[in-house]
Structure formats: C-alpha cells, structure tokens
Amino acid sequence: MVSRPSLETATASDPDRFVEPLELGKRVKEIRLTKGWTLEEVSKRTGIARSTLSKIENDQVSPSFTIVQKLIKGLGMDLPQLFVEASEHSIAGRRDITRKGKGEPHPTATYEHELLNFSISRKKMVPFKTKVRARSFDEFKEWVRHDGEEFLLVLEGKINFFSELYEPIELKEGDSVYYDASMGHTVVSTSIKDAEILWVVAR
C-alpha cells in the first residue's frame, strides 16, 4: 500500500509540498454543498481558482499545504472538520416547524397531548404540549414511568407535580422541573381551567 504524506510533513517552511488527505475532494464538495455555495463563491472566499477547486473536488489534483490553509480559512472551519467526516448517525441541518394548534393529538383519560415536530424521526428529544385534565392523583391507576429524562414547563395555570421519591410540589406558570423519567410521576391541574404544560422527553 502506498503511504500517504501527513500534514506534519507539509510545514510552512515547505509550503509547496503536496498533502493528500483521505477523500479531501469529497469533503470539500460536501462542505460547499452543505453551505449552499457555488464553486465561484468558494473561489472568492478562498482565493483559489475555480478551475483548481473543481479539480480538487474531483480528485484530479493533490492540494499543497498552502491550498489546504486557504480552504480552512475560506470555508470557515477547523482543520479536523476538513479531514474527518461526521458520524454516520449524525444528521446535519434538520428542521421541522409545528404551527400553533397543528401538532398531532394524542388524548388520554387524564391528559390531552399535542405532539410537536412529529415528522422528524430518530429524535433525541420528544417535545409535546399537554392540557392536564386530571384533578386528582386517584385518577391514575399507576405511576407513569419510562426511560430517559424529562423536562416540564408550566405554560398556563397551576399543577401539582407528583413523583415517586419526593413530596408533591405545586408549580405555577413559568415554573419548571427536570427529572429522571424512570421515576414514577404524574401531574394534576389545581387551577380552575385545565393547566397547559410543555413536556420534553430526552431519550
């Protein structure tokens, strides 16, 4: 196998020595497309000729250390980002918007859930708004518990937050609580109108 020269061998004192990092052309193109830039725009940002950039992206030339430095500065990134691909499990640039009242409804006997941003799969967080119908702890047949951690923010009204290992506590509009969701927990409204809360489950 042919050994590839490393960046350590291409120093500022030897600026025209070629470096040939793994799939550099592919990474440059990925970064450019992710940022939505044309070759012409990258050329202006880096000071590298458009034709040279095209050859780099298509692995037709090996860039010198000086060229690599210009790429790093012009693309606005750190050195490792140019040479290391993102994890195959990471998904860059995801976005999903839920308009007011347009979430996916999931009513139960005690809660009226509205699942938010439900079109994104494999989320690390699950956000939803809930109207709390329950008025008494006795309305629950058992503790609610599941894997992960949970964040709760009171949007309107007042609630009593019950948890397996702590005394019940009243939370008002603007109050929040963060807790281990494997610990039994339930919520009941104490205000005249059904309280509304924001829940975020982290998996």
Side-chain angles (χ1 to χ4, degrees):
M1 180 181 292
V2 178
S3 61
R4 296 176 180 269
S6 66
L7 275 178
E8 284 74 12
T9 64
T11 65
S13 62
D14 189 13
D16 294 321
R17 181 166 184 146
F18 287 112
V19 293
E20 195 176 5
L22 182 64
E23 296 185 319
L24 175 61
K26 177 183 175 183
R27 288 290 296 135
V28 170
K29 188 172 184 177
E30 281 179 354
I31 293 163
R32 176 174 67 79
L33 294 177
T34 297
K35 293 177 178 290
W37 292 340
T38 64
L39 279 171
E40 189 64 36
E41 287 175 305
V42 175
S43 176
K44 291 178 180 178
R45 289 173 178 272
T46 60
I48 302 170
R50 183 185 183 283
S51 58
T52 301
L53 287 168
S54 178
K55 290 177 182 178
I56 291 173
E57 287 191 358
N58 290 289
D59 293 320
Q60 294 174 352
V61 297
S62 296
S64 68
F65 184 70
T66 300
I67 294 294
V68 171
Q69 287 180 309
K70 288 182 178 180
L71 285 170
I72 292 168
K73 184 176 180 180
L75 294 173
M77 54 201 326
D78 293 325
L79 184 65
Q81 293 174 285
L82 194 59
F83 294 92
V84 181
E85 277 193 77
S87 165
E88 64 179 16
H89 297 298
S90 67
I91 302 175
R94 298 200 300 172
R95 191 188 79 166
D96 183 50
I97 295 172
T98 301
R99 299 293 185 185
K100 183 178 180 180
K102 300 297 182 180
E104 185 175 285
H106 286 274
T108 71
T110 50
Y111 300 133
E112 186 177 326
H113 300 304
E114 181 188 0
L115 187 60
L116 307 174
N117 310 110
F118 52 89
S119 67
I120 292 182
S121 61
R122 292 169 55 193
K123 294 193 292 289
K124 293 183 179 180
M125 296 185 294
V126 180
F128 53 100
K129 287 197 298 185
T130 298
K131 285 188 177 181
V132 183
R133 303 292 192 196
R135 289 296 194 279
S136 167
F137 178 82
D138 296 332
E139 294 181 46
F140 296 88
K141 295 180 180 179
E142 57 186 5
W143 287 109
V144 177
R145 64 173 82 248
H146 49 84
D147 290 339
E149 297 180 330
E150 203 157 71
F151 170 79
L152 181 160
L153 171 67
V154 182
L155 300 176
E156 292 182 15
K158 293 186 294 184
I159 63 169
N160 268 345
F161 178 77
F162 295 88
S163 53
E164 198 171 14
L165 303 178
Y166 298 87
E167 290 295 319
I169 185 169
E170 184 178 71
L171 299 175
K172 301 177 182 179
E173 183 176 327
D175 292 341
S176 64
V177 57
Y178 189 103
Y179 53 95
D180 179 354
S182 65
M183 173 180 65
H185 56 277
T186 61
V187 173
V188 302
S189 284
T190 57
S191 48
I192 297 174
K193 292 178 62 177
D194 294 338
E196 186 170 356
I197 60 178
L198 171 68
W199 251 319
V200 182
V201 180
R203 293 175 172 171

